[in-house]
Amino acid sequence: IDISFISGTANTAIATAEAVNYAYVAGASIAQAEDLAVTAAGSSRAVADISNGALSAGYVSIGVSVLYAYANGDYRTYVDTSGASLNVDSLSVSNTYEASATAKTAQPSGGAISGYGADVNIALASVGINAEAAVKGNGAITTPGAVMVQATGMATADAGVATPAVEFSGIDIAVNVISATLSAKQEAYIKGATINAGSIQVISTLNNTDDTGAVAELGSSATSFGADVSLVSVEIHTAIATANNTNHAYIAAADITSSGAISVQSLAQAYANARVNEDAIDVGLISFGITVLKAIAQGDFAAYVDGSELNAGSLEVKNVYTSHANAVAAQPSLGIGVEAISG
């Protein structure tokens, strides 16, 4: 990512990752085959950052820093049975991916210039994902073995402040506005097909690891502050972390006979953390202005069977999820606002 100097006021870096990854079998009849595996693995990663060395050397010397990182992905793995008949020993449809966006802003060493927007250093990290693993269509599948449909995803957005090894003295600095946004939609499903199998598993797992999601962290603009350092204009430091995920596992409009178990599981977490870095407290950055932190963790999580005819040895439908929003800060001299929302 190149840092460019724009109109003497803004140092800007933009990183964009757009990933598309499909693996599929569509409308193909198979008279006899051993294991049929349709598998996709993908990743999308965007980083917008300013190196500590560049800041310490003064290459980014004046104005404000605006950093954007966008990581988006479209990941699909499926078997479309429309007009087809498949006879296989077993069937596996698997979609695995990782997506991450990281943006770290910083205060240029020469200070801020009044007049650029709201006179702020900005770090925006955004992740948008659409993923599915599916068996669909109006055809037929016959197998003595297992039918496994599985989507597994991990998506993170991390926005913060890069702290250069410099001391600020006698300058005006800008406030920091930090935003981490995560929006992931993921599904694993069987829809419309007629299946005769030994067992059926439909599992969708999204960010099912603790402390994985959106993190917005206010850090220090320098390792120390000397005399006569003040904010150029706006006096509100802001960190907002938002995780809004959708995770569904389901069987719909299908006709399934299984000599063994049918299992449908949705396993997911929504995590958002807005916080103040301890370094920012130690060096006194938070004594300048007001600090507002907001964390929102929410989503739509479901596991279900709908409009289907099932004959099976056993049936399990399980939906397990947590939503965790955390906003933590120290008390600055001019006040603080903290809001955490889980839903």
Side-chain angles (χ1 to χ4, degrees):
I1 299 301
D2 292 326
I3 305 300
S4 58
F5 194 70
I6 301 177
S7 303
T9 58
N11 305 282
T12 304
I14 300 173
T16 301
E18 299 279 353
V20 177
N21 191 29
Y22 288 10
Y24 61 89
V25 174
S29 290
I30 300 176
Q32 185 61 49
E34 295 184 356
D35 300 337
L36 173 59
V38 185
T39 303
S43 65
S44 177
R45 183 171 184 261
V47 178
D49 202 350
I50 304 175
S51 72
N52 196 350
L55 288 163
S56 301
Y59 297 137
V60 184
S61 61
I62 197 167
V64 294
S65 296
V66 180
L67 285 297
Y68 300 104
Y70 303 98
N72 301 314
D74 184 10
Y75 305 108
R76 300 175 189 267
T77 307
Y78 61 89
V79 173
D80 187 344
T81 66
S82 297
S85 177
L86 292 83
N87 289 275
V88 295
D89 287 349
S90 67
L91 173 62
S92 172
V93 180
S94 176
N95 188 359
T96 304
Y97 67 88
E98 294 185 5
S100 66
T102 302
K104 303 287 186 181
T105 192
Q107 176 61 54
S109 59
I113 297 176
S114 181
Y116 175 72
D119 307 313
V120 296
N121 298 310
I122 297 172
L124 169 63
S126 176
V127 175
I129 298 298
N130 190 24
E132 74 168 29
V135 172
K136 53 190 174 180
N138 59 6
I141 297 173
T142 302
T143 174
V147 172
M148 166 71 81
V149 181
Q150 185 166 15
T152 305
M154 180 174 291
T156 59
D158 184 5
V161 177
T163 303
V166 296
E167 176 182 343
F168 287 158
S169 181
I171 63 172
D172 290 336
I173 64 172
V175 298
N176 295 314
V177 174
I178 310 301
S179 176
T181 302
L182 173 59
S183 177
K185 180 179 180 181
Q186 180 176 297
E187 294 183 326
Y189 63 90
I190 295 173
K191 185 175 182 179
T194 298
I195 301 175
N196 192 319
S199 62
I200 304 285
Q201 284 189 303
V202 180
I203 303 174
S204 186
T205 305
L206 176 60
N207 278 7
N208 198 33
T209 302
D210 291 344
D211 302 336
T212 301
V215 176
E217 183 176 67
L218 282 172
S220 177
S221 299
T223 52
S224 62
F225 294 94
D228 302 324
V229 174
S230 61
L231 296 178
V232 62
S233 60
V234 181
E235 295 185 347
I236 300 176
H237 298 281
T238 304
I240 300 174
T242 303
N244 188 7
N245 297 332
T246 297
N247 191 60
H248 289 178
Y250 63 92
I251 296 173
D255 185 349
I256 296 177
T257 299
S258 173
S259 58
I262 296 177
S263 178
V264 181
Q265 300 182 45
S266 171
L267 310 171
Q269 296 192 30
Y271 173 78
N273 189 354
R275 63 188 183 225
V276 175
N277 186 293
E278 188 67 30
D279 291 342
I281 301 170
D282 292 342
V283 301
L285 172 68
I286 306 304
S287 66
F288 302 115
I290 299 170
T291 300
V292 176
L293 303 181
K294 189 172 185 178
I296 302 170
Q298 59 190 10
D300 179 5
F301 310 103
Y304 59 92
V305 176
D306 181 51
S308 300
E309 182 173 338
L310 306 182
N311 294 282
S314 63
L315 173 63
E316 176 189 45
V317 179
K318 182 167 66 175
N319 181 27
V320 180
Y321 74 91
T322 60
S323 293
H324 181 198
N326 189 42
V328 179
Q331 176 65 47
S333 60
L334 296 180
I336 191 166
V338 176
E339 183 176 7
I341 302 171
S342 296

